[in-house]
Each structure stands twice: as structure tokens, then as C-alpha cells.
Amino acid sequence: MIYTITLNPAIDRLLFLEDTLIKGKNNRLQEITYDLGGKGHHGSYAMSQLEIKNQALGFCGTTNKGKLEKILTEKGINHDLVDVYGKSTRESYVILETGVSGSILITEKGFRVTNYDKESLNEQIERKVNATDIVLIAGSLPLGYELRDLAELLSQLKKIGCFIACDLSGEALKKAVELEVNFIKPNRFEIQELISSKNNLLDNLKELAKKVEYIIVSQGSEGSICSHAGDFYQVTTPKVAAVNDTGAGDCFVGSFLSGLSLGKPLTECLSFASACAASKVQHNDSTTFSVKEARILQKKVTVKKL
Ligand code: ATP
Ligand code: MG
Ligand code: MG
């Protein structure tokens, strides 16, 4: 079983404008659609599309719980969320202009979690997670969730003995490395906060590899580098017409862990994850990708040992 934990969930409200955004003018909407904004939820979506048994855990505000659960259910994501009473899950606005690539993102800070909420999550994890499971913690930390709370959660998971994957950034990512989790996937910016600029990337990865079993540094359209068991791999991406790369990393992580959970060889997990993410970037929301297209794109991905 794979569990994903989204500590700071979000509902994305995609606003498709009829035209381009102009100040002082009535900017008419063509359409509004909703999507998941939380990175763990994105990972769960990829796993669900790949028909890998998974459950989305984490916090959820009660005042708009119906809205978040509706999107999760529509996207086929099995979930069991911890209620944050009397508060709402943050809603983000993604403005998409006609004929303009990219988007404008406006986000809320989101709810503050209490000690009660944190204890409820830890109790739930204690009840559910077993040593043979994979747990992915992804995204930012909500207000009230301190680094020491993350350290407590990671220590709890280490005690259980499951495989711990973290798609975190900044101080949270540093904490995950310090506590020697099994997997991290920093992007080209997130890795800078972990390494010394004096050494080259491979030397830095050798150092990090003493603590973390699987490290994948994703580099957008330039692919990724993976470190595992003393070896390094350069993974390419198939050339595609990118529309929106938000969520590419989340799709990569979700599909990579799916492959790993099936016991597939590492090179296969890497090439398939790269193909799924390349399918994702051709869609304008943060989650959509085609499994069928990914299987075709996978043939164009190379994984070379360095
Ligand atoms: P996220 O928005 O999910 O946090 P990220 O910044 O963590 O994304 P990226 O490094 O941008 O992750 O992308 C992850 C992977 O997705 C890349 O390693 C690559 O395999 C694939 N990818 C990203 N952008 C492109 C692109 N333009 N074309 C093809 N593949 C891409
Ligand atoms: Mg990126
Ligand atoms: Mg990312």
C-alpha cells in the first residue's frame, strides 16, 4: 500500500479568461474548473491513474470539506483526511489567459493546525501504516506545523519501518535528509539548498547518498539525475510541446513510486516516470496525464549510467 500525506492541501480554481487579463476592464470568464493543489494529492492521482493501491492522508478544513472530497472522488482518489475543525482548506486561483502560455497563480496561506489536529494525524498513521508500506510526504507545511512536528512524524514512520519518500523543500527537506529518509526528489532550485556550491553535483550527490537511498534531482525539460546504491543515472525526457509544467515533479514522483511498489527495475521506474511527467506538461492543469501516451513516450526516454 502507498500512503500519501498532504499536510497543506489546496483546491485550485482554474479561471479560463475569454481574452488576456487587462486592468480596468471587465475580464470575462470562459470557464471555471477545479483541480487539486496539494502535492501529495497530485502524487495520489498519478498512482490512481496507474491503478496502484493508494490512500491520500493529511489535513482538511471542515468548512469546505465537501468541495475537496468531491474533487478527490471525481479523480478516483481514495482518501481518509483528518478534520481541521471550523477552518477551510485554502483555495488558489490560477488565471489562464487565451493565447498566452503559462498562468498567474494566487494562493492563500491556509489554515493553522492545532496540537489536537497533529495528534489526530499521528494516531491515524500509527493505526494504518505497516512496515511494508510506502509513505510519501509532499508539499509545504501548514501554519502551526513546525519542523519539530515533521521530525516527530518522520521518526514515527522510521520506527514503523516503512519506505519514506519526501517531496519537500527548504528546511523541511533538510530535516528529511538529516533523518535519513529513503527517497527525495529535489528540483534544480531545491537541490541548491542542500548542497555546497564548491563541489560539482555528482560529488554533492555522493555525500547525500550516505544518508538517502534514492535521490532524484529533477531538472525540468533537461530530465533528471538519480543516485541509488552507489550508481548514478542520467534520465532524458521526450521532447514535447509543454503547456504547463506545474505538477510535473509530482506526477514523476507518483509514477516512480508506483513502479517501485511493483518491484520493477530502477531504470524502468525512471523511464516511465519521465514519460508520465512529459505527458503531464502538455496539459494545462496540474494533474492530467495520459497513461497510454506515457507508454509510447517511454520508448524515447534513455537512462544512462554515469
Ligand atoms: P512540481 O511543479 O511538480 O513541483 P518540479 O519543479 O518539482 O515540479 P521539474 O524538475 O520541473 O519538477 O520536472 C520534473 C520532471 O518532469 C523532469 O525531471 C522531467 O522528467 C519532466 N518534465 C518537466 N518539464 C518538462 C518538459 N518541458 N518536457 C518534458 N518533460 C518535462
Ligand atoms: Mg518545476
Ligand atoms: Mg516539485
Side-chain angles (χ1 to χ4, degrees), residues 42-75:
H42 292 167
S44 261
Y45 177 74
M47 294 165 197
S48 303
Q49 287 298 300
L50 296 168
E51 296 177 19
I52 298 295
K53 207 169 156 214
N54 76 93
Q55 188 171 51
L57 308 179
F59 298 118
C60 167
T62 54
T63 57
N64 58 353
K65 187 172 183 179
K67 222 176 193 174
L68 179 61
E69 289 203 306
K70 184 168 179 274
I71 308 172
L72 287 165
T73 305
E74 278 170 3
K75 289 185 168 282

Side-chain angles (χ1 to χ4, degrees), residues 34-211:
Y34 292 90
D35 194 10
L36 300 163
K39 301 187 101 38
H41 291 158
H42 292 167
S44 261
Y45 177 74
M47 294 165 197
S48 303
Q49 287 298 300
L50 296 168
E51 296 177 19
I52 298 295
K53 207 169 156 214
N54 76 93
Q55 188 171 51
L57 308 179
F59 298 118
C60 167
T62 54
T63 57
N64 58 353
K65 187 172 183 179
K67 222 176 193 174
L68 179 61
E69 289 203 306
K70 184 168 179 274
I71 308 172
L72 287 165
T73 305
E74 278 170 3
K75 289 185 168 282
I77 300 172
N78 178 348
H79 55 275
D80 188 3
L81 306 174
V82 169
D83 285 339
V84 178
Y85 287 101
K87 296 181 193 152
S88 58
T89 292
R90 65 198 168 120
E91 294 191 25
S92 305
Y93 296 87
V94 185
I95 301 172
L96 296 125
E97 302 164 273
T98 299
V100 180
S101 70
S103 59
I104 300 166
L105 179 67
I106 305 166
T107 62
E108 290 179 69
K109 273 199 194 127
F111 49 57
R112 175 179 287 277
V113 294
T114 63
N115 286 339
Y116 177 79
D117 303 328
K118 293 182 264 188
E119 279 159 24
S120 304
L121 178 67
N122 292 353
E123 277 167 26
Q124 190 197 44
I125 285 165
E126 202 59 47
R127 272 199 318 275
K128 285 180 182 267
V129 180
N130 295 310
T132 52
D133 294 329
I134 294 176
V135 175
L136 166 66
I137 305 174
S140 55
L141 308 183
L143 292 170
Y145 200 94
E146 311 298 340
L147 275 183
R148 63 171 180 275
D149 299 315
L150 177 69
E152 193 182 321
L153 173 62
L154 292 174
S155 305
Q156 184 189 5
L157 292 170
K158 287 205 84 153
K159 216 181 276 169
I160 293 170
C162 60
F163 183 100
I164 311 170
C166 289
D167 188 0
L168 301 167
S169 54
E171 292 302 316
L173 176 59
K174 279 187 195 159
K175 185 57 82 183
V177 171
E178 186 189 314
L179 292 179
E180 307 193 359
V181 300
N182 303 90
F183 169 101
I184 57 171
K185 192 224 60 69
N187 64 19
R188 51 162 55 115
F189 307 109
E190 291 156 348
I191 188 71
Q192 294 308 325
E193 301 180 292
L194 279 185
I195 61 177
S196 141
S197 54
K198 277 190 249 134
N199 298 334
N200 67 32
L201 181 59
L202 282 195
D203 286 339
N204 274 305
L205 286 181
K206 272 180 201 152
E207 215 35 54
L208 281 175
K210 290 179 186 162
K211 296 190 165 180

Side-chain angles (χ1 to χ4, degrees), residues 20-36:
T20 51
L21 184 67
I22 299 170
K23 226 176 180 178
K25 177 191 157 230
N26 177 11
N27 295 282
R28 283 191 188 279
L29 285 173
Q30 200 165 46
E31 195 193 3
I32 301 182
T33 61
Y34 292 90
D35 194 10
L36 300 163

Side-chain angles (χ1 to χ4, degrees), residues 238-287:
K239 284 249 168 309
V240 293
V243 176
N244 179 7
D245 69 357
T246 306
D250 307 337
C251 180
F252 189 107
V253 171
S255 31
F256 178 83
L257 294 176
S258 294
L260 216 56
S261 77
L262 295 173
K264 294 203 171 157
L266 178 61
T267 51
E268 161 87 17
C269 296
L270 289 167
S271 61
F272 188 57
S274 174
C276 289
S279 171
K280 184 335 15 241
V281 302
Q282 296 172 85
H283 295 268
N284 58 18
D285 65 13
S286 316
T287 48

